[in-house]
Amino acid sequence: MARQKSEQVRQALLEAAQKLFVEKGYIATTIGSIARAAGTSQSNVYVYFTSKFEIAFAVFDPWLRSKVLDLEARVEAQDTPEARLRALIDGLIHGIAADRSGQTLTLVQALATAKAGDEYSPDLLLWTMSRIHQMIGTALPGSDPTEREALTHSLMLAFDGIALRQNLRRSEIEDSLSVDALYMMVQAIIRRDAGE
Amino acid sequence: MARQKSEQVRQALLEAAQKLFVEKGYIATTIGSIARAAGTSQSNVYVYFTSKFEIAFAVFDPWLRSKVLDLEARVEAQDTPEARLRALIDGLIHGIAADRSGQTLTLVQALATAKAGDEYSPDLLLWTMSRIHQMIGTALPGSDPTEREALTHSLMLAFDGIALRQNLRRSEIEDSLSVDALYMMVQAIIRRDAGE
DNA sequence: TTCTATTAAAGAATGGCATTCGCTTAAATG
DNA sequence: CATTTAAGCGAATGCCATTCTTTAATAGAA
């Protein structure tokens, strides 16, 4: 009974947005530039998305999911529990939170500037946490469930910390020091569990 | 040879800014509203500060310093090393990073929206780190310096993580779980050191 | 005290941006 | 084909940080 939204236009918008967000960050990217890069008009963007914030999430969501799935594969490919744990922490912190492509910067900026109506479902965060929880399970097979839970939370916390620091505080602190520290703490727990 | 800047006007601007930042957040607070609340004109604000970003830092800096000094006093007031450590972690995470007054939200928003010219000295961050490092020294007197360094970094990382989460991710995750997890990890290190 | 250079102070632009409005027109449906 | 719905578009709208321009207060020289 009426004209339909074009999946092509939507995809073009998402691709243009992703490219520009990575290039210039969320804040410096304008709706007009996204529209121009996608070959449509500024106002037409709002036929496909209700806000700039929503676009940021639509871009970030699949990116993070694929990164987490990649990480999962890499963790499982390791032979020893210790190697798995190393791969998990390294991948999570260096590969995702501190990713060079600037996707997390986009998210942090979008969250920081979110207005009253800008909401998002917690699905992505919860999904990510559950995946990490599971990865810890494969890395530390015999571990106490409570402890596994605690590790998951600590890793998520570190993830957020790195994301904030990498993107907003830039070069003030050597991040590798923080990652080493984190790894040391996890090691301490493992060694304790092993009764060493 | 000329008219002088009034310290009163400057103070009135800072107080108005602090009040408004806490009330509405950094982004929703306009220069105009700060000027109005301080009883001066919008343009006159730029005689005292070069940017909105600079105002945010001028407000946040003394607030954080006084919070850290308070924490220091509270940590030193504890009798046992264990109580000192508890007080440090609790105060840092609950009392400052997740503070209810919204000062850290202001900082996070200011950092997230900072433009090219918006720069700030790392003094405050470095000062805070050195204080935490020292507090860890009093909490764990006999500890290895390298380990103390690592703990400092971990705490700063957790601080950033909580700041980001508290302010941007709102209520999705139970923060107390993260704090408990962190404390558990620190405990693991301590027990290991104690040879338990 | 008077004059003058300096600059605080104020109001009026400026420029940029997300979002909305009103109109036009493509296309799905009967 | 006629009708109707909504995609698409150009032109607002409203908001805001920052700058420009002008006025007037005042510290210091005369």
Side-chain angles (χ1 to χ4, degrees), chain A residues 62-135:
Chain A
W63 178 84
L64 181 62
R65 284 179 200 268
S66 97
K67 279 281 182 182
V68 170
L69 291 178
D70 284 357
L71 178 61
E72 213 160 43
R74 219 170 319 119
V75 168
E76 274 168 19
Q78 306 299 316
D79 296 329
T80 67
E82 189 148 313
R84 286 202 189 113
L85 196 64
R86 238 278 179 249
L88 172 57
I89 295 178
D90 252 45
L92 201 61
I93 302 301
H94 284 132
I96 303 182
D99 90 296
R100 292 219 151 265
S101 78
Q103 300 271 6
T104 55
L105 172 59
T106 293
L107 185 73
V108 168
Q109 287 187 332
L111 288 171
T113 58
K115 299 189 305 294
D118 290 336
E119 277 164 26
Y120 61 98
S121 124
D123 289 357
L124 180 62
L125 182 64
L126 296 175
W127 178 84
T128 303
M129 278 191 76
S130 85
R131 289 287 170 169
I132 290 176
H133 189 256
Q134 201 176 315
M135 281 187 259

Side-chain angles (χ1 to χ4, degrees), chain B residues 1 16 54 74 79 103 116 123-124 140 152 156 163 176 190 193:
Chain B
M1 221 185 188
E54 193 183 286
R74 219 169 320 118
D79 297 328
Q103 301 271 6
D123 289 358
L124 180 62
L140 303 174
T152 304
M156 290 297 290
S176 58
I190 296 166
D193 287 351

Side-chain angles (χ1 to χ4, degrees), chain B residues 23-182:
Chain B
E23 244 172 66
K24 320 168 77 101
Y26 174 78
I27 294 177
T29 297
T30 69
I31 296 284
S33 69
I34 294 173
R36 211 172 316 120
T40 185
S41 74
Q42 186 166 342
S43 48
N44 200 37
V45 171
Y46 288 87
V47 169
Y48 293 87
F49 302 96
T50 65
S51 66
K52 189 181 176 183
F53 182 81
E54 193 183 286
I55 298 175
F57 250 81
V59 166
F60 184 75
D61 185 298
W63 178 83
L64 181 62
R65 285 180 200 268
S66 98
K67 279 280 182 182
V68 171
L69 291 178
D70 284 356
L71 178 60
E72 214 159 44
R74 219 169 320 118
V75 167
E76 275 168 20
Q78 305 298 317
D79 297 328
T80 66
E82 187 148 316
R84 285 200 190 114
L85 195 64
R86 236 281 177 247
L88 172 58
I89 294 179
D90 252 44
L92 200 62
I93 302 301
H94 284 132
I96 304 182
D99 90 296
R100 290 223 153 264
S101 77
Q103 301 271 6
T104 56
L105 171 61
T106 294
L107 185 74
V108 168
Q109 288 188 331
L111 288 172
T113 58
K115 299 189 304 295
D118 291 335
E119 277 164 27
Y120 59 99
S121 124
D123 289 358
L124 180 62
L125 182 64
L126 297 175
W127 178 85
T128 304
M129 277 191 76
S130 85
R131 289 287 170 167
I132 290 175
H133 189 256
Q134 201 176 315
M135 281 187 258
I136 290 177
T138 73
L140 303 174
S143 59
D144 173 25
T146 311
E147 205 148 80
R148 232 178 290 162
E149 193 68 30
L151 272 179
T152 304
H153 279 276
S154 295
L155 280 185
M156 290 297 290
L157 199 56
F159 182 91
D160 284 356
I162 290 284
L164 179 70
R165 185 174 298 173
Q166 178 78 7
N167 293 305
L168 304 186
R169 297 200 149 152
R170 301 286 144 80
S171 53
E172 283 158 22
I173 300 181
E174 270 297 326
D175 276 324
S176 58
L177 287 178
S178 302
V179 177
D180 288 349
L182 190 69

Side-chain angles (χ1 to χ4, degrees), chain A:
Chain A
M1 222 183 189
R3 197 170 173 181
Q4 286 177 341
K5 284 177 205 176
S6 145
E7 191 55 37
Q8 287 180 16
V9 171
R10 191 188 146 84
Q11 277 309 313
L13 284 170
L14 285 176
E15 278 160 30
Q18 171 149 37
K19 181 169 176 295
L20 287 165
F21 285 156
V22 163
E23 244 172 67
K24 319 168 79 100
Y26 174 78
I27 294 177
T29 297
T30 70
I31 296 285
S33 69
I34 293 173
R36 211 174 313 120
T40 186
S41 73
Q42 187 166 340
S43 47
N44 200 36
V45 170
Y46 288 87
V47 169
Y48 292 87
F49 302 96
T50 66
S51 65
K52 189 181 178 183
F53 181 81
E54 193 183 287
I55 298 175
F57 250 82
V59 166
F60 184 74
D61 185 297
W63 178 84
L64 181 62
R65 284 179 200 268
S66 97
K67 279 281 182 182
V68 170
L69 291 178
D70 284 357
L71 178 61
E72 213 160 43
R74 219 170 319 119
V75 168
E76 274 168 19
Q78 306 299 316
D79 296 329
T80 67
E82 189 148 313
R84 286 202 189 113
L85 196 64
R86 238 278 179 249
L88 172 57
I89 295 178
D90 252 45
L92 201 61
I93 302 301
H94 284 132
I96 303 182
D99 90 296
R100 292 219 151 265
S101 78
Q103 300 271 6
T104 55
L105 172 59
T106 293
L107 185 73
V108 168
Q109 287 187 332
L111 288 171
T113 58
K115 299 189 305 294
D118 290 336
E119 277 164 26
Y120 61 98
S121 124
D123 289 357
L124 180 62
L125 182 64
L126 296 175
W127 178 84
T128 303
M129 278 191 76
S130 85
R131 289 287 170 169
I132 290 176
H133 189 256
Q134 201 176 315
M135 281 187 259
I136 290 178
T138 75
L140 303 174
S143 59
D144 173 25
T146 310
E147 205 149 79
R148 231 178 291 161
E149 194 68 29
L151 273 178
T152 304
H153 279 275
S154 295
L155 281 184
M156 289 298 290
L157 199 56
F159 182 92
D160 284 355
I162 290 284
L164 179 70
R165 186 175 297 174
Q166 177 77 7
N167 292 305
L168 305 185
R169 295 199 152 154
R170 299 287 143 79
S171 52
E172 284 158 20
I173 301 180
E174 270 296 327
D175 275 324
S176 58
L177 287 177
S178 301
V179 177
D180 287 351
L182 189 70
Y183 192 65
M184 189 205 80
M185 290 177 75
V186 176
Q187 285 292 334
I189 291 184
I190 297 168
R191 286 202 202 102
R192 190 199 55 180
D193 286 351
E196 190 182 305

